[in-house]
Amino acid sequence: MDRRSFLAAAAATFVLPAPATTSSRTLARDPFTLGIASGDPSTDGFVLWTRLALDPLGANGRGAMPSRDVEVDWQLSTDERFGKILRSGTATARWKDAHSVHVELDGLEPGREYFYRFRAEGRLSPTGRTRTAPSGATQPLAFAVAACAHYEHGFYTAYRRLAEQEPDLVLFLGDYLYEYGPSGYTALAGRVRTHTPGKCATLADYRLRHAQYKSDADLQRAHAVAPWLVSFDDHELENNWAGPVSSTGAPAFAHRRASAFRAYYENMPLRRASLQGAVLRVNRRVTWGTLARFHLLDTRQFRDDQACLDGVRAGCDERLSERRTLLGGDQWRWLSEGLRASTTQWNLLGQQILMMQRDYKRGPGREVNLDAWDGYAAERHRLLELMSTTSNPVVLTGDAHMHHAASLKLDFDDPDSPVIAPELVASSIASDGDGYRDKVWIEEGLAENPHISYIDQRRGYIMARLNSTELSAEFRTLEYISRRGAPAKTTHRVTVPVSAP
Ligand SMILES: [Fe+2]
């Protein structure tokens, strides 16, 4: 495939002559202002997504769409010019679903690239590229890891650079959007754009915020280039919520949570099976031939409330309690059974919050983040014990708004404790703005935490390449996002050789 022609095509709405539509209705403008996406590849299919909006910021989160259902045709081809249509069909973008469409395909060939597009009432969408997972022995896998994309804090150049690298797969590990109203979270001096009004609380609020984020061309480009495996953390609903508990004690939290979950599903390339009543199930597995299995975790929805009133603090014995759970009983059983049964060479755990021990206090004493695994230390220990019998485990993480490379150990305070797995933490796409490189702060952080080998406070993502002999992860870093156009540079590389079974 010609890289430039595909990216050019993905960036612009096609102006091909549209075949005659079965409906005499027409939409006044292009309804594909929120882009297209695909996700959750299996060996024979994936989910295709779009959501129609004539104006992303239209009132009540409804994108200025007419108050009726709209028929949406879809097409699949192995050729980006759609010379031969492999599959096609029609889905209904329902008013009640904010005109979102999820098409789940099966019966396709494993390990292949496909192209897709939609058409609604004579209007054609951009083209997306996606792929099925391979079966058996497979080519090397290139995947990107990204998290945390506060819209106000900077432009999405990191998404654009990620798209230009054309990964096979994108893992998104939480904070796809932020719920705060304008300047509601760390009022940076250089805010580049403004959230929709108010803190998100209702279904209409969350729909509108998703539409605002999805209207970004760089984000659309990243979705169009590869299937995504998405999972949420806290800000898709509310800062530092925990299971049924609001961190702010806001009233009617269950209703708000349901609204946030519904809007999240409507706006993401998730399979219908992820909707399970009041639960939005995002812990799931994707297998990439005999090479790798991704175990996507949910460290937010089933957790116990944070110990000692949350925060970064010292001296909290409660965080060490054997009874505390981060994953919840069902997910723990699902994960432990999945790790034990896995026969792939690599096992990649995609999850939201720092798994490593992380001391934030300079000098003697220790301060840890009670929202991260440090607040659930006994369960972390059990998980690391389990991972010590797992084939080539690797932990992939978001949340920190800084790149980190670290070694996970059963005893972080013992230099002789064996390394169980690497933890690779992707910095943020945009959250916290340009960032900086505070050498003194980093040196102190590394000195306090000898199991950490790299910290970088600038924006970026991870691009990893995996084959049967090694994992090679590049930390991709941008100097600025307050202006457009920053290049992404590889500022650190981690190579993990495969270990014999
Ligand atoms: Fe974040």
Side-chain angles (χ1 to χ4, degrees):
M1 186 189 63
D2 178 275
R3 165 178 307 220
R4 262 194 210 89
S5 70
F6 172 70
L7 286 174
T13 301
F14 274 35
V15 256
L16 296 177
T21 164
T22 51
S23 165
S24 59
R25 297 192 203 255
T26 54
L27 292 166
R29 294 190 296 282
D30 170 25
F32 295 103
T33 59
L34 308 182
I36 53 167
S38 70
D40 283 23
S42 60
T43 53
D44 73 339
F46 32 70
V47 53
L48 304 179
W49 171 93
T50 192
R51 180 184 158 207
L52 308 182
L54 297 174
D55 170 8
L57 301 185
N60 295 319
R62 292 215 164 262
M65 287 293 290
S67 53
R68 60 178 171 82
D69 296 349
V70 175
E71 298 293 288
V72 178
D73 302 324
W74 56 268
Q75 293 180 324
L76 188 77
S77 179
T78 52
D79 153 25
E80 65 179 299
R81 295 176 206 289
F82 292 86
K84 180 167 174 251
I85 307 297
L86 197 66
R87 295 274 193 93
S88 61
T90 302
T92 303
R94 295 182 205 286
W95 166 258
K96 75 174 182 60
D97 300 327
H99 293 101
S100 60
V101 172
H102 295 77
V103 178
E104 286 184 53
L105 296 179
D106 57 19
L108 301 172
E109 283 181 47
R112 277 206 73 157
E113 181 179 77
Y114 294 89
F115 296 90
Y116 62 95
R117 63 186 180 184
F118 299 94
R119 186 176 55 221
E121 298 184 358
R123 306 276 181 169
L124 205 57
S125 79
T127 292
R129 186 183 75 154
T130 190
R131 60 178 59 246
T132 46
S135 61
T138 177
Q139 301 290 311
L141 163 67
F143 66 94
V145 184
C148 294
H150 197 300
Y151 184 82
E152 295 188 329
H153 289 185
F155 295 109
Y156 286 166
T157 318
Y159 277 141
R160 170 170 289 243
R161 300 295 173 238
L162 182 161
E164 287 167 352
Q165 293 200 269
E166 297 189 7
D168 299 319
L169 193 63
V170 177
L171 263 70
F172 193 88
L173 299 177
D175 293 356
Y176 188 90
L177 58 68
Y178 285 72
E179 79 284 13
Y180 300 108
S183 296
Y185 166 53
T186 54
L188 292 169
R191 187 179 72 174
V192 301
R193 40 194 184 178
T194 305
H195 269 164
T196 52
K199 190 172 190 170
C200 292
T202 66
L203 177 57
D205 295 338
Y206 286 108
R207 281 172 166 167
L208 181 61
R209 188 62 59 82
H210 274 283
Q212 180 177 41
Y213 277 57
K214 275 277 181 4
S215 68
D216 183 277
D218 295 329
L219 172 56
Q220 290 184 13
R221 194 175 276 222
H223 274 297
V225 81
W228 284 37
L229 299 179
V230 299
S231 59
F232 57 79
D233 189 21
D234 54 337
H235 288 289
E236 287 86 348
L237 167 49
E238 180 200 57
N239 181 47
N240 283 17
W241 63 281
V245 182
S246 162
S247 64
T248 58
F253 184 68
H255 183 71
R256 184 174 169 198
R257 191 174 98 153
S259 298
F261 281 178
R262 181 167 169 185
Y264 187 81
Y265 173 75
E266 286 174 350
N267 285 280
M268 291 293 159
L270 282 169
R271 291 179 182 270
R272 212 162 293 113
S274 57
L275 278 179
Q276 298 181 2
V279 166
L280 184 61
R281 180 74 61 182
V282 294
N283 62 290
R284 59 206 192 277
R285 282 186 269 273
V286 167
T287 303
W288 211 261
T290 54
L291 181 67
R293 178 164 290 168
F294 291 92
H295 307 256
L296 270 287
L297 307 187
D298 177 346
T299 56
R300 191 56 63 180
Q301 189 173 190
F302 309 110
R303 66 158 74 190
D304 289 335
D305 199 8
Q306 289 90 351
C308 305
L309 299 174
D310 203 358
V312 176
R313 63 181 80 234
C316 172
D317 289 341
E318 185 191 349
R319 75 181 184 91
L320 307 174
S321 166
E322 292 285 337
R323 288 192 302 276
R324 293 178 53 68
T325 182
L326 186 67
L327 299 175
D330 287 351
Q331 186 178 197
W332 170 264
R333 279 184 289 280
W334 169 86
L335 177 61
S336 54
E337 285 163 14
L339 288 176
R340 283 201 191 95
S342 177
T343 56
T344 57
Q345 197 169 19
W346 297 89
N347 285 278
L348 305 154
L349 281 73
Q351 55 99 44
Q352 291 76 15
I353 51 173
L354 284 196
M355 192 176 284
M356 69 186 79
Q357 177 175 290
R358 177 77 162 93
D359 178 8
Y360 290 91
K361 185 173 170 31
R362 283 194 295 179
R366 176 173 295 159
E367 288 179 0
V368 300
N369 181 3
L370 296 170
D371 186 59
W373 280 91
D374 271 327
Y376 304 79
E379 188 167 279
R380 170 174 64 194
H381 193 80
R382 288 194 292 274
L383 177 55
L384 290 172
E385 281 180 332
L386 179 62
M387 283 163 55
S388 71
T389 62
T390 300
S391 177
N392 295 290
V394 177
V395 175
L396 306 165
T397 302
D399 188 50
H401 304 180
M402 293 178 210
H403 286 317
H404 288 71
S407 295
L408 297 173
K409 307 171 84 170
L410 282 175
D411 183 350
F412 291 93
D413 298 322
D414 176 2
D416 296 327
S417 185
V419 174
I420 305 297
E423 181 174 17
L424 307 175
V425 183
S427 183
S428 62
I429 292 290
S431 304
D432 290 345
D434 282 347
Y436 48 89
R437 193 152 166 75
D438 181 338
K439 284 207 171 68
V440 172
W441 190 90
I442 290 170
E443 290 303 321
E444 287 172 351
L446 297 177
E448 293 294 327
N449 301 276
H451 49 281
I452 303 179
S453 56
Y454 174 61
I455 301 173
D456 198 310
Q457 297 139 306
R458 294 170 294 185
R459 308 287 71 83
Y461 59 94
I462 295 171
M463 182 63 62
R465 287 176 184 80
L466 190 66
N467 61 35
S468 57
T469 58
E470 66 175 27
L471 167 73
S472 172
E474 292 180 350
F475 288 84
R476 305 284 290 166
T477 304
L478 287 75
E479 289 285 346
Y480 56 88
I481 56 166
S482 54
R483 291 170 287 128
R484 296 186 190 273
K489 293 176 185 154
T490 298
T491 48
H492 190 68
R493 188 191 307 265
V494 170
T495 304
V496 184
V498 76
S499 67

